[in-house]
Amino acid sequence: MKIWLKKAAGLALAMMPAVAQAEGEKNVLAIGGSVTEIIYALGEGDRLIGRDSTSSYPPEATGLPDVGYMRALAPEGVLSVGPGMIISEDGAGPPETIEVLQAANIPFITVPDGYSAEGIVQKILTVGEALDVEAASIALASDVRMKLQEAEEAADALAGDAPKRVLFILSTQDGRIMASGTNTAASGIIEMAGGVNAVTAFEGYKPMSDEAVIAAAPDVILMMDRSGDHFVSDEDLFALPAIATTPAAQTQSVVRMNGLYLLGFGPRTADAVLDLTAALYKG
Amino acid sequence: MPQDRRTVARLAHIWLALALVAVSVLSLATGPTGTSLWGALGKMFNAEPLTAMERVVLWDIRLPRLIIGILVGAGLAVSGALMQGLFRNPLADPGLVGVGAGGTLGAILAIVLGSALPIWLSDIVGNMLIPVSAFFGSWLVIVVLYRVSTRHGRTSVATMLLAGIALAALAAALSGIVIFLADDQQLRDLTFWSLGSLAGATWTKVVITAPLILIAIGASFFLGRGLNALALGEATASHLGIAVQRLKLVTILIVAMATGAAVAVSGGIGFIGIIVPHLLRLATGPDHETLLLNVALLGATILLAADIISRLIIAPAELPIGIVTAVLGSPVFLWILLRRRGLVDM
Amino acid sequence: MINARDIRVTFGKKPILYGVDFTARPGEVTAIVGPNGSGKTTLLRALTDEVRWTGQISVNHRDIRIYKPWELAAIRAVLPQAATLAFPFTVIEVVRLGLMSGIHGGKDRIAQYALQQVGLAGYENRFFQELSGGEQQRAHLARVLCQVWDPVIDGVPRWLLLDEPVASLDIGHQLLIMNCVQNFARRGGGVVAVMHDLNLTAMVADAVTMIARGEAIAQGPVAEVFTDHRLSAAYQCELKTNAVPPNASAFILPQTAALRGH
């Protein structure tokens, strides 16, 4: 009861009939890990009143109310955190929820995906515009652009003529290898780090047959470092028949990195590129 | 020794109706935003304008959700009772005629292949692609099932049971093939769909499903006598003057309409079709003439209660309602089975 | 009047009835007897339209194929040899089912009288599935009696078609039930009963049809049909009518029994 009263009160204060954005108001809902990171990087983290389940960085973000998985948002749940504005990565849903939010006259700004340096810059600028802090966003964007350029050049240098073939595996549950084809965040970061996506036959994250994995002949396996049920130990990984005969298995080359850090395509990506390059070529 | 159960069953109409009204009001009055129903009613009474928030929450979110919850809960429960009457078995459930499997296949096709639709078509269909596809999937399975089990104008219930299992397996296999074409995002969408949810309730869905489910449930009230007679076997029912083949056909159609529509708009919600009729048979007897109305009322009430839980328990996120009904339903189901061990030998 | 001409029934490739003629008159108990596998139950099932048959059947001078299901249910009630029950109904609820197609609607009184007639007074609220086999059979008979409670309406006789109505009953209940059935016939209704027990048949039946190997080998009053020769041929063993056994320790015949208190 108390929570509801608090929220109702907060709501009454925050939601005056004409929904005008006063500057610096604490009423932004961030959806998507990279969006949240960008907002904090712009120094506007105080304006957040909620986030989604993928927003795990920085640690302060996890203290905010979690509206759940971004493709399965509940309309009243979203409204209950009292958003005056929603900034979201591409792909939020379901469509019915988005429609209700629009009917409630809440500005919904979609930040386009982009698995490249330019993509990240665009994200930062879009978020900056939404939050009305364009000066800060331009500064952050150029800083990020510079770091990314340096990282990519370093990566190219290390790769030289023999870039490593990298296979990104999303999961091996049920014995099915879900891997990344082209046009994904994983593919993007691999290219930026001086590697080559071992898979070019399809787009998106799809299950691959064992023979296709063998034919891809990756030098390195790249995975997210998940704990709990999704965790696959090196031993189990290389024991899989599809993987056992790959060059990666022969050199026992597997790289694990935090999912949001590696694939988020946000302010930390330059560092992620450097880390990945190091892991690929010096590890 | 039970007293005459008819009176108890008829009194139950009143109690259950009151319960449904109470839960409905509770459903409208609660939600993570804390929007107050009473406040809004007060304003309307005084001809004051509502805030945008009140309007959206009460009219666009909670009210359609309430209506869909009632329709789906009643529809699934009545379908369960009808299936049990048709198969003369208290464990039968709409899934036996492959409705669920067909609906899932339709949903999967929509989720995975939906992006391949030409723009003009997807503009027309809009958000309704998945529900429409799921509905047609259910119907396709039921039509095939009916054809396979009916010969010389007579539907064999035993054949339906076996064929239903086979068709459900076939639908699942086809779904598996399509899943292989799916990418990670689509798989997640499918998972959430399968777990069931009332969160996508819109007035469009209300307008489309309400006639289907209401007609189905209304028609079922005329089947009470026939289903009672059928409990003694098809031959005896026929000797009692029941047109047995017509009864079977109408029952199957009603289940197809009600369950097909319910699955289409709310995904896979389990247990309501088995638990609710069972509980009522235990409480007020198996007489279908009073059972079906009570089943509809209780099914709606329970689903609304589950929905309230799903909306509040991990607010501001939502727990898929299929999980709530499973968590609450399985222990109840086990309890029923244990309690009945001595009573009836199935 | 129930009239059947040239009834043939085949299950798959196997012929069961080879062109049987059968007649039953209202006001009479007509028994159908014969050895196991003779086709007597199949004949009844043809009359009740439960198996596919060829030939002609008419009930009350109207071809059976013309009747709608509810019209037929209003004038004839069928007692099966065995029945299942899928749900935990009480005895009174099962008996009340007989009233759904008759003209009496939901008159509970009739259901209770019917239970009294079959010796199950007081059993109303017990669970049907808890009854013994014999009690369940009697409850079904009560249901069937409810369906055609008045043996004659507007001069039109109504019918009871019974498949081995006393098969699982003890002798006392057998007498009770046969009495009840005979009563129905005396009041103008028609009864057709497939019977196992030749003594009870002899006691109660006004006419009897004997079926053997798919053919009706005799039809008529009991004394005419039950001859030593015919019975022995039909049942494939030496049978003697009206003969006292030479070295018997005891023999108990229903014909010499009397019901107490009814």
Side-chain angles (χ1 to χ4, degrees), chain B residues 41-113:
Chain B
L41 288 175
K43 283 189 187 171
M44 292 197 307
F45 195 64
N46 294 330
E48 278 170 32
L50 298 174
T51 63
M53 178 69 119
E54 282 173 330
R55 241 185 308 116
V56 166
V57 168
L58 289 171
W59 183 257
D60 287 320
I61 300 181
R62 288 191 195 162
L63 193 51
R65 191 168 181 144
L66 168 69
I67 297 177
I68 296 248
I70 293 178
L71 291 171
V72 168
L76 288 177
V78 168
S79 296
L82 290 177
M83 285 277 90
Q84 286 145 28
L86 180 68
F87 283 96
R88 302 199 288 282
N89 187 312
L91 290 177
D93 123 300
L96 281 181
V97 289
V99 169
T104 304
L105 178 58
I108 290 180
L109 284 171
I111 290 173
V112 176
L113 303 178

Coordinates of all heavy atoms in Angstrom, one line a residue, chain B residues 41-113:
Chain B
L41 N -13.6 7.5 -10.5 CA -15.1 7.5 -10.5 C -15.6 8.7 -9.8 O -16.6 9.3 -10.3 CB -15.6 6.3 -9.7 CG -15.4 4.9 -10.5 CD1 -15.8 3.8 -9.6 CD2 -16.2 4.9 -11.8
G42 N -14.9 9.2 -8.8 CA -15.3 10.4 -8.1 C -15.3 11.6 -9.1 O -16.2 12.4 -9.1
K43 N -14.2 11.6 -9.8 CA -14.1 12.7 -10.7 C -15.2 12.7 -11.8 O -15.8 13.7 -12.1 CB -12.7 12.7 -11.5 CG -11.5 13.1 -10.6 CD -10.3 13.2 -11.5 CE -9.1 13.5 -10.7 NZ -7.9 13.4 -11.5
M44 N -15.4 11.5 -12.3 CA -16.4 11.4 -13.4 C -17.8 11.8 -12.8 O -18.6 12.4 -13.5 CB -16.5 10.0 -13.9 CG -15.2 9.6 -14.7 SD -15.3 8.2 -15.8 CE -15.9 7.0 -14.7
F45 N -18.0 11.4 -11.5 CA -19.3 11.8 -10.9 C -19.4 13.3 -10.8 O -20.5 13.8 -11.0 CB -19.3 11.1 -9.5 CG -20.7 11.1 -8.9 CD1 -21.7 10.4 -9.5 CD2 -20.9 11.8 -7.7 CE1 -22.9 10.3 -8.9 CE2 -22.2 11.8 -7.2 CZ -23.2 11.1 -7.7
N46 N -18.3 14.0 -10.5 CA -18.4 15.4 -10.4 C -18.1 16.1 -11.7 O -17.9 17.3 -11.7 CB -17.3 15.9 -9.3 CG -17.7 15.4 -7.9 OD1 -18.8 15.2 -7.6 ND2 -16.7 15.2 -7.1
A47 N -18.1 15.4 -12.8 CA -17.9 16.0 -14.1 C -16.5 16.7 -14.2 O -16.4 17.7 -14.9 CB -19.0 16.9 -14.5
E48 N -15.5 16.1 -13.4 CA -14.2 16.7 -13.5 C -13.4 15.9 -14.6 O -13.7 14.7 -14.8 CB -13.5 16.6 -12.2 CG -13.8 17.7 -11.2 CD -13.2 17.3 -9.9 OE1 -12.1 16.7 -9.8 OE2 -13.8 17.7 -8.9
P49 N -12.4 16.6 -15.2 CA -11.7 15.8 -16.2 C -10.6 14.9 -15.6 O -10.1 15.2 -14.5 CB -11.0 16.9 -17.0 CG -10.8 18.1 -16.0 CD -12.0 18.0 -15.1
L50 N -10.4 13.8 -16.2 CA -9.4 12.9 -15.7 C -8.0 13.2 -16.2 O -7.9 13.8 -17.3 CB -9.7 11.4 -16.2 CG -11.0 10.8 -15.7 CD1 -11.2 9.5 -16.4 CD2 -11.0 10.7 -14.2
T51 N -7.0 12.9 -15.5 CA -5.6 13.1 -16.0 C -5.4 12.2 -17.1 O -6.0 11.1 -17.3 CB -4.6 12.9 -14.9 OG1 -4.6 11.5 -14.5 CG2 -4.8 13.8 -13.7
A52 N -4.3 12.5 -17.9 CA -4.0 11.6 -19.0 C -3.6 10.3 -18.5 O -4.0 9.2 -19.0 CB -2.8 12.2 -19.8
M53 N -2.9 10.3 -17.4 CA -2.5 9.0 -16.8 C -3.7 8.2 -16.4 O -3.8 7.0 -16.7 CB -1.7 9.3 -15.5 CG -1.2 8.1 -14.8 SD 0.0 7.2 -15.8 CE 1.3 7.2 -14.7
E54 N -4.7 8.8 -15.7 CA -5.8 8.0 -15.3 C -6.6 7.4 -16.5 O -7.0 6.3 -16.5 CB -6.8 8.9 -14.5 CG -6.4 9.2 -13.1 CD -7.2 10.2 -12.4 OE1 -7.8 11.1 -13.1 OE2 -7.4 10.1 -11.2
R55 N -6.7 8.3 -17.5 CA -7.4 7.8 -18.7 C -6.7 6.6 -19.3 O -7.3 5.6 -19.6 CB -7.5 8.9 -19.8 CG -8.9 9.3 -20.1 CD -9.0 10.3 -21.2 NE -8.2 11.5 -21.0 CZ -7.1 11.8 -21.8 NH1 -6.8 11.1 -22.8 NH2 -6.4 12.9 -21.5
V56 N -5.4 6.7 -19.5 CA -4.6 5.7 -20.2 C -4.7 4.4 -19.3 O -4.9 3.3 -19.8 CB -3.2 6.1 -20.4 CG1 -2.3 4.9 -20.8 CG2 -3.1 7.1 -21.5
V57 N -4.4 4.6 -18.0 CA -4.3 3.4 -17.2 C -5.6 2.7 -17.1 O -5.7 1.5 -17.3 CB -3.7 3.7 -15.8 CG1 -3.9 2.6 -14.8 CG2 -2.3 4.1 -15.9
L58 N -6.7 3.4 -16.8 CA -7.9 2.7 -16.5 C -8.6 2.3 -17.8 O -9.1 1.2 -17.9 CB -8.9 3.7 -15.7 CG -8.4 3.9 -14.3 CD1 -9.2 5.0 -13.6 CD2 -8.6 2.6 -13.5
W59 N -8.6 3.1 -18.9 CA -9.3 2.8 -20.1 C -8.5 2.0 -21.1 O -9.0 1.1 -21.7 CB -9.8 4.1 -20.7 CG -10.7 3.9 -21.9 CD1 -10.3 4.0 -23.2 CD2 -12.0 3.4 -21.9 NE1 -11.3 3.7 -24.0 CE2 -12.4 3.3 -23.3 CE3 -12.9 3.1 -20.9 CZ2 -13.6 2.9 -23.7 CZ3 -14.2 2.6 -21.3 CH2 -14.5 2.6 -22.7
D60 N -7.2 2.4 -21.3 CA -6.5 1.7 -22.3 C -5.7 0.5 -21.8 O -5.4 -0.4 -22.6 CB -5.4 2.6 -22.9 CG -6.0 3.7 -23.8 OD1 -6.9 3.3 -24.5 OD2 -5.6 4.8 -23.7
I61 N -5.5 0.4 -20.5 CA -4.7 -0.7 -20.0 C -5.6 -1.7 -19.2 O -5.8 -2.8 -19.5 CB -3.5 -0.3 -19.1 CG1 -2.6 0.6 -19.9 CG2 -2.8 -1.5 -18.6 CD1 -1.4 1.0 -19.2
R62 N -6.2 -1.2 -18.1 CA -6.8 -2.1 -17.1 C -8.1 -2.6 -17.6 O -8.5 -3.8 -17.4 CB -7.0 -1.4 -15.8 CG -5.7 -1.2 -15.0 CD -6.0 -0.8 -13.6 NE -4.8 -0.3 -13.0 CZ -4.8 0.4 -11.8 NH1 -6.0 0.7 -11.3 NH2 -3.7 0.8 -11.3
L63 N -8.9 -1.8 -18.2 CA -10.3 -2.3 -18.6 C -10.2 -3.3 -19.7 O -10.9 -4.4 -19.6 CB -11.2 -1.1 -19.0 CG -12.7 -1.4 -19.1 CD1 -13.2 -2.1 -17.9 CD2 -13.5 -0.1 -19.3
P64 N -9.5 -3.1 -20.8 CA -9.4 -4.2 -21.8 C -8.8 -5.4 -21.2 O -9.2 -6.6 -21.6 CB -8.6 -3.7 -22.9 CG -8.2 -2.3 -22.6 CD -8.8 -1.9 -21.3
R65 N -7.9 -5.3 -20.3 CA -7.2 -6.4 -19.7 C -8.2 -7.2 -18.9 O -8.2 -8.4 -18.9 CB -6.1 -5.9 -18.9 CG -5.2 -7.0 -18.4 CD -4.0 -6.4 -17.8 NE -3.1 -7.5 -17.4 CZ -1.8 -7.5 -17.5 NH1 -1.2 -6.4 -18.0 NH2 -1.1 -8.5 -17.0
L66 N -9.1 -6.5 -18.2 CA -10.1 -7.1 -17.3 C -11.0 -7.9 -18.2 O -11.3 -9.1 -17.9 CB -10.9 -6.0 -16.6 CG -12.1 -6.5 -15.9 CD1 -11.8 -7.4 -14.7 CD2 -13.0 -5.4 -15.4
I67 N -11.5 -7.3 -19.3 CA -12.5 -8.0 -20.2 C -11.8 -9.2 -20.8 O -12.4 -10.3 -20.8 CB -13.0 -7.0 -21.2 CG1 -13.7 -5.9 -20.6 CG2 -13.9 -7.8 -22.2 CD1 -14.2 -4.9 -21.5
I68 N -10.6 -9.1 -21.3 CA -9.9 -10.2 -21.9 C -9.7 -11.3 -20.9 O -9.9 -12.5 -21.2 CB -8.6 -9.8 -22.6 CG1 -8.9 -8.8 -23.7 CG2 -7.8 -11.0 -23.1 CD1 -8.6 -9.3 -25.1
G69 N -9.3 -10.9 -19.7 CA -9.1 -11.9 -18.6 C -10.4 -12.7 -18.3 O -10.3 -13.9 -18.2
I70 N -11.5 -12.0 -18.3 CA -12.8 -12.7 -18.0 C -13.1 -13.7 -19.2 O -13.4 -14.8 -19.0 CB -13.9 -11.7 -17.8 CG1 -13.7 -10.9 -16.5 CG2 -15.3 -12.4 -17.8 CD1 -14.8 -9.9 -16.3
L71 N -12.9 -13.2 -20.4 CA -13.3 -14.0 -21.6 C -12.3 -15.2 -21.6 O -12.8 -16.3 -21.8 CB -13.1 -13.2 -22.9 CG -14.2 -12.1 -23.0 CD1 -13.8 -11.2 -24.2 CD2 -15.5 -12.7 -23.3
V72 N -11.1 -15.0 -21.5 CA -10.1 -16.1 -21.6 C -10.3 -17.1 -20.5 O -10.3 -18.3 -20.7 CB -8.7 -15.6 -21.6 CG1 -7.7 -16.7 -21.5 CG2 -8.4 -14.8 -22.9
G73 N -10.4 -16.6 -19.3 CA -10.6 -17.5 -18.1 C -11.9 -18.3 -18.3 O -11.8 -19.6 -18.1
A74 N -13.0 -17.7 -18.6 CA -14.2 -18.4 -18.8 C -14.1 -19.4 -20.0 O -14.5 -20.5 -19.9 CB -15.4 -17.5 -19.0
G75 N -13.6 -18.9 -21.1 CA -13.5 -19.7 -22.3 C -12.6 -21.0 -22.1 O -13.0 -22.0 -22.5
L76 N -11.5 -20.8 -21.4 CA -10.6 -22.0 -21.2 C -11.3 -23.0 -20.3 O -11.2 -24.2 -20.5 CB -9.3 -21.5 -20.6 CG -8.3 -20.8 -21.6 CD1 -7.1 -20.4 -20.9 CD2 -8.0 -21.7 -22.8
A77 N -11.9 -22.4 -19.2 CA -12.5 -23.3 -18.2 C -13.7 -24.1 -18.8 O -13.8 -25.3 -18.7 CB -13.0 -22.5 -17.0
V78 N -14.5 -23.4 -19.6 CA -15.7 -24.1 -20.2 C -15.2 -25.1 -21.2 O -15.7 -26.2 -21.3 CB -16.6 -23.1 -20.8 CG1 -17.6 -23.8 -21.7 CG2 -17.4 -22.3 -19.8
S79 N -14.2 -24.7 -22.0 CA -13.6 -25.7 -23.0 C -13.1 -26.9 -22.3 O -13.3 -28.0 -22.8 CB -12.5 -25.1 -23.7 OG -12.9 -24.0 -24.5
G80 N -12.5 -26.8 -21.1 CA -12.0 -27.9 -20.4 C -13.2 -28.8 -20.0 O -13.1 -30.0 -20.2
A81 N -14.2 -28.2 -19.4 CA -15.4 -29.0 -19.0 C -16.0 -29.7 -20.1 O -16.4 -30.9 -20.0 CB -16.4 -28.1 -18.3
L82 N -16.1 -29.0 -21.3 CA -16.7 -29.7 -22.5 C -15.9 -30.8 -22.9 O -16.4 -31.9 -23.3 CB -16.9 -28.7 -23.6 CG -17.9 -27.6 -23.4 CD1 -17.9 -26.6 -24.5 CD2 -19.3 -28.2 -23.2
M83 N -14.6 -30.7 -22.9 CA -13.7 -31.7 -23.4 C -13.8 -32.9 -22.5 O -13.9 -34.1 -22.9 CB -12.2 -31.3 -23.4 CG -11.8 -30.4 -24.5 SD -11.5 -31.3 -26.0 CE -13.0 -31.3 -26.7
Q84 N -13.9 -32.7 -21.2 CA -14.1 -33.8 -20.2 C -15.4 -34.5 -20.4 O -15.5 -35.7 -20.4 CB -13.9 -33.3 -18.8 CG -12.5 -32.9 -18.4 CD -12.4 -31.7 -17.5 OE1 -13.3 -31.5 -16.7 NE2 -11.2 -31.0 -17.6
G85 N -16.4 -33.7 -20.7 CA -17.7 -34.3 -21.0 C -17.7 -35.2 -22.3 O -18.2 -36.3 -22.4
L86 N -17.0 -34.6 -23.3 CA -17.0 -35.3 -24.6 C -16.2 -36.6 -24.5 O -16.6 -37.6 -25.1 CB -16.4 -34.4 -25.7 CG -16.3 -34.9 -27.1 CD1 -17.6 -35.1 -27.7 CD2 -15.4 -34.0 -27.9
F87 N -15.0 -36.5 -23.9 CA -14.2 -37.7 -23.8 C -14.6 -38.6 -22.6 O -14.0 -39.6 -22.4 CB -12.7 -37.3 -23.7 CG -12.1 -36.9 -25.0 CD1 -12.0 -35.6 -25.3 CD2 -11.6 -37.8 -25.9 CE1 -11.5 -35.2 -26.5 CE2 -11.0 -37.4 -27.1 CZ -11.0 -36.1 -27.4
R88 N -15.6 -38.1 -21.9 CA -16.1 -38.9 -20.7 C -14.9 -39.2 -19.7 O -14.8 -40.3 -19.2 CB -16.8 -40.2 -21.1 CG -17.9 -39.9 -22.0 CD -18.8 -41.1 -22.1 NE -18.3 -42.2 -22.8 CZ -18.2 -42.3 -24.1 NH1 -18.7 -41.4 -24.9 NH2 -17.7 -43.4 -24.7
N89 N -14.0 -38.2 -19.6 CA -12.9 -38.5 -18.7 C -12.5 -37.2 -18.0 O -12.3 -36.1 -18.7 CB -11.7 -38.9 -19.6 CG -10.5 -39.4 -18.8 OD1 -10.1 -38.7 -17.8 ND2 -10.0 -40.5 -19.1
P90 N -12.4 -37.2 -16.7 CA -12.1 -36.0 -15.9 C -10.7 -35.4 -16.2 O -10.4 -34.3 -15.7 CB -12.2 -36.4 -14.5 CG -12.8 -37.7 -14.5 CD -12.6 -38.3 -15.8
L91 N -9.9 -36.1 -16.9 CA -8.5 -35.6 -17.2 C -8.4 -35.0 -18.6 O -7.3 -34.5 -18.9 CB -7.5 -36.7 -17.0 CG -7.3 -37.2 -15.6 CD1 -6.3 -38.3 -15.6 CD2 -6.8 -36.0 -14.7
A92 N -9.4 -35.0 -19.3 CA -9.3 -34.5 -20.7 C -9.1 -32.9 -20.6 O -9.6 -32.3 -19.7 CB -10.6 -34.8 -21.5
D93 N -8.5 -32.4 -21.7 CA -8.3 -31.0 -21.7 C -8.2 -30.5 -23.1 O -8.0 -31.3 -24.0 CB -7.1 -30.7 -20.8 CG -6.0 -30.0 -21.5 OD1 -5.5 -30.5 -22.5 OD2 -5.6 -28.9 -21.0
P94 N -8.5 -29.2 -23.4 CA -8.5 -28.8 -24.8 C -7.3 -29.1 -25.6 O -7.3 -29.3 -26.8 CB -8.7 -27.3 -24.7 CG -9.3 -27.1 -23.4 CD -8.8 -28.1 -22.5
G95 N -6.1 -29.3 -24.9 CA -4.9 -29.6 -25.6 C -5.0 -31.0 -26.3 O -4.3 -31.2 -27.3
L96 N -5.9 -31.8 -25.9 CA -6.1 -33.1 -26.5 C -6.5 -33.1 -27.9 O -6.3 -34.0 -28.7 CB -7.1 -34.0 -25.7 CG -6.6 -34.6 -24.4 CD1 -7.7 -35.5 -23.8 CD2 -5.4 -35.5 -24.8
V97 N -7.3 -32.0 -28.3 CA -7.6 -31.9 -29.7 C -6.7 -31.0 -30.4 O -7.0 -30.5 -31.5 CB -9.1 -31.4 -29.8 CG1 -10.1 -32.4 -29.4 CG2 -9.3 -30.1 -29.1
G98 N -5.5 -30.9 -29.9 CA -4.4 -30.2 -30.6 C -4.6 -28.7 -30.7 O -3.8 -28.1 -31.5
V99 N -5.5 -28.1 -30.0 CA -5.7 -26.7 -30.2 C -4.5 -25.9 -29.8 O -4.1 -25.0 -30.5 CB -6.9 -26.2 -29.3 CG1 -7.0 -24.7 -29.2 CG2 -8.2 -26.8 -29.8
G100 N -3.9 -26.3 -28.7 CA -2.7 -25.6 -28.2 C -1.6 -25.7 -29.2 O -0.9 -24.7 -29.5
A101 N -1.3 -26.9 -29.7 CA -0.2 -27.1 -30.6 C -0.4 -26.4 -31.9 O 0.5 -25.8 -32.4 CB -0.1 -28.6 -30.9
G102 N -1.7 -26.4 -32.4 CA -2.0 -25.7 -33.6 C -1.8 -24.2 -33.4 O -1.2 -23.5 -34.3
G103 N -2.2 -23.7 -32.3 CA -2.1 -22.2 -32.0 C -0.6 -21.8 -31.9 O -0.2 -20.8 -32.5
T104 N 0.2 -22.7 -31.3 CA 1.6 -22.4 -31.2 C 2.2 -22.4 -32.5 O 3.1 -21.5 -32.8 CB 2.3 -23.4 -30.3 OG1 1.6 -23.5 -29.0 CG2 3.7 -23.1 -30.1
L105 N 1.9 -23.4 -33.4 CA 2.4 -23.4 -34.7 C 2.1 -22.1 -35.5 O 3.0 -21.5 -36.1 CB 1.9 -24.6 -35.5 CG 2.4 -24.8 -36.9 CD1 3.9 -24.8 -37.0 CD2 1.8 -26.0 -37.6
G106 N 0.9 -21.7 -35.4 CA 0.5 -20.4 -36.0 C 1.3 -19.3 -35.5 O 1.8 -18.4 -36.3
A107 N 1.5 -19.2 -34.2 CA 2.2 -18.1 -33.6 C 3.7 -18.1 -34.1 O 4.2 -17.1 -34.4 CB 2.2 -18.2 -32.1
I108 N 4.2 -19.3 -34.1 CA 5.6 -19.4 -34.5 C 5.8 -18.9 -35.9 O 6.7 -18.2 -36.3 CB 6.1 -20.9 -34.4 CG1 6.3 -21.3 -33.0 CG2 7.5 -21.0 -35.1 CD1 6.8 -22.7 -32.8
L109 N 4.9 -19.4 -36.8 CA 5.0 -19.0 -38.2 C 4.9 -17.4 -38.3 O 5.7 -16.8 -39.0 CB 3.9 -19.6 -39.0 CG 4.1 -21.1 -39.4 CD1 2.8 -21.7 -40.0 CD2 5.2 -21.2 -40.3
A110 N 4.0 -16.9 -37.5 CA 3.9 -15.4 -37.5 C 5.1 -14.7 -37.0 O 5.6 -13.7 -37.6 CB 2.7 -15.0 -36.7
I111 N 5.7 -15.3 -35.9 CA 6.8 -14.6 -35.3 C 8.0 -14.7 -36.3 O 8.8 -13.7 -36.5 CB 7.2 -15.2 -34.0 CG1 6.1 -14.9 -33.0 CG2 8.5 -14.8 -33.5 CD1 6.3 -15.6 -31.6
V112 N 8.3 -15.9 -36.8 CA 9.5 -16.1 -37.6 C 9.4 -15.6 -39.0 O 10.3 -15.0 -39.5 CB 9.9 -17.6 -37.6 CG1 11.1 -17.8 -38.5 CG2 10.1 -18.1 -36.2
L113 N 8.2 -15.8 -39.6 CA 8.1 -15.4 -41.0 C 7.4 -14.1 -41.2 O 7.2 -13.6 -42.3 CB 7.3 -16.5 -41.8 CG 7.9 -17.9 -41.7 CD1 7.0 -18.9 -42.5 CD2 9.3 -17.9 -42.3

